[in-house]
Each structure stands twice: as C-alpha cells, then as structure tokens.
Amino acid sequence: MRALIVDDAAYMRLKLRQLLEDNNCEVVGEAENGEIAVRKYFELKPDFVTMDITMPVMDGITALEIITGKDPSATIIVVSAKGQKDLIVDAIKRGAKDYVVKPFHAERVIESLQKLKRRTGGRNIESATS
Amino acid sequence: MKVQLLNPFISAFNQATNVIFGSSVERKNIEIIDSIQEGTDVHIFLGLAGDLYGTVFLSASKENALQIASAMEGRTFDDFDELSVSALQELLNITSGGAITEFSEMGIETDITPPTFVEGKDINIRLFYPILSVQLFIDTFGVYLNLAVKKRKIQKVLIVESNTIMRERLVNTLRLNKFQVVSDNVSGNKCLETIECNKPSVVIYDISRLDKNDYLVLRQIKEKYPEIKVIATTLLGQTIKKETFPRVDNFISKPFEDDILLTVLRSM
C-alpha cells in the first residue's frame, strides 16, 4: 500500500515513515503543509494519507476538504495532537476515514490500517498489516 | 491567573512522555515567575488563541534539550538540526494538543499554533502576563513548562424580554457565543431582585411597551448598580426619546441581526 505522510514536524514524518514501512507500506511522499499535500496527493495518487491538522500555510482540515472534494474516494487518516470531540466529528464529516490522536501507540495506527482494510475489502491495502 | 490552568498541560506532558519514553515525569512545585529561568538557553513557544489566549513554552538548558531530543529520536544529537528541533517542537505540540482537548471537555475552547524554536544565551524574554511555571523531569533531565495566558472573561447577561420567541432567540444566540445568560424570564418588577442575586454585567431590556414602570426600573438599575451596562431593545420605527432613558448605554431596534447585538455586547 502506498502512503503519503503529511505533517509539519520532520520528527513525526520520520516516526510515521518507520511505522508504516515496518508494516509493509511504501511511503511514496511526504508533505510539510496542506498546500503541498494537495499537490502531492494528485501527483502521486497514494492509497492513503496520514494528515496532521495544525500546520503552517494550509491546515490539514482545509487540505482534507480539498482532496475529498475532488476525490471522494480518498482515504485519509487524520493524525493530530488535537483530540476535541467536535473536531473529530467535523473531520469525519469532511471525509476522513479515521482519526488518530497523538501521542499514539504503534498499535493504534496499525488498527486504523486494519479497519480500512476491512472497509475496503482489501482493495487498496491488501499487502499491509497482514 | 489560576494555577489550575497548568494542570491539563502537566497531565498531557506526562501522557506524552509515557507514550514516547515509556516513563512518567517527576514534577516540582508550581511557581509564578516574571522572567525566564536562569540557565535556560533553549525555548520552544506555542501560541494559544480562543477562550484561553497567550503562550505556552518549554525552556531548558541546551544540554538537557539535546538529551530529551536524543531520547525521543533514539540517537545522540551533539547539536541542533532539523530533526532534533522538530522532536522538541512536537513534544510541546502533543502536550498542548492534549491540554486543549482537556480544556474543551471543561467548555473552554482554545486552538494552537505551530511551535517556534528559539536558541541563544542570555535571552531576555518579557511577557506581559504572569508566567505559571513548573519544572518537570524526564529521568534526570529537567525542563520548565511555562504558561503565560489569560482566560477570556465571560460576560453575564440578564435578558428582560416579554416576547417568548424573541427571548428564546436571544438566549440561544448568547449561549452559542459564550455569554452566560443568568436569567431570561423575568419581568421588569423582578429585575432588581434578579440582579441582586446574579450580578450580571449587562442587562438587555425590552422597552418597546413604553411602560412607565420600565423607566423606573432602569433608573434604579443605574442608581444601585452603576457598573452594569444596559442595552434597551425597541421596535422598528418606534420613537424613543433618548432623554427619557438617560441611563441606557445602547439602543437596538428590532428586528436586528445577531451580529449587531454581539458587536454591541462585545464592545461593552
């Protein structure tokens, strides 16, 4: 499964890359803000995106809305330090498939991937998390 | 500034270190300080905006900051680079995200900005709010968690409005916009009693009936409670002589947009 990691923190991008690669995902790109994320999403057409929210230039919720507006089938997992209930509901309404609150245990991200695999019947993520 | 405001940050920092390092933090007493701690030459700032506004920042010696970044990353950093700086920024980001989530559960809505890293010796940082500070230890590495914030004052509003539909609309609009409606179903006569019990900062008073009693009540409010602001609502086209109601601070004629009322309220 091909992943795009979106987070303004180089540290978090590295941690997510290590975690995804350990779980049979190929990280095809990284973005440090929402604007780059939108551009890279349509360039790289990843199977899924991990999307931070608080970022400079363009926040993750705006990027999520732009991506799902053009591609309603986009698979986006929000990974954010902000865990307010209203924000989670809002992100899901705007098309996020899951919401992982930082700090996360690796198992929580793996569980999210497994959930997506069940939901898509393994279409996109058959090689991951098996 | 209430010391309790620091607690959500301490518990979120503890949770972050639990997940990242697998160890909990040790904390010292909370202090109120007016300048940053001596011996700290690394600072990570993050802005807060909303019901709670100001700055939260971590301060540490360069040595301790590098040790913490090294422990987070699992490799030794001798000096700062993009990755070590990013690790420290992320520690504050995760801490603040956890804290604003806890505040949200208490009805205090606040947002955060991306963090900023500052390094340098003998930096004089002057903040115009008092700083709440606690020293936290991850193993033997101490870091100061500093919070310089203010809490938005929530205005208490008393609504004296006989029309039920109008009253309900006012109550909903004000509550949605973070005003505290202290009582919303009082007649002019009971108004003074309600003010005495609830001490509102603003009274929204419907004078459209042009009842003589309203004039007397408004006069008494201003005589007894001069600090309370009064907004009088009237009907569109109704002629009100301002001299008749000299104690009213603002007049709004119905129907009015919610934004107009909110602008007037916030300006008081």
Side-chain angles (χ1 to χ4, degrees), chain B residues 41-52:
Chain B
D41 34 30
V42 170
H43 312 275
I44 302 119
F45 291 88
L46 183 145
L48 298 162
D51 293 340
L52 206 63

Side-chain angles (χ1 to χ4, degrees), chain A residues 64-82:
Chain A
L64 163 76
E65 206 164 22
I66 294 173
I67 293 172
T68 54
K70 288 184 182 169
D71 179 7
S73 67
T75 301
I76 299 177
I77 303 169
V78 174
V79 182
S80 170
K82 299 200 282 190

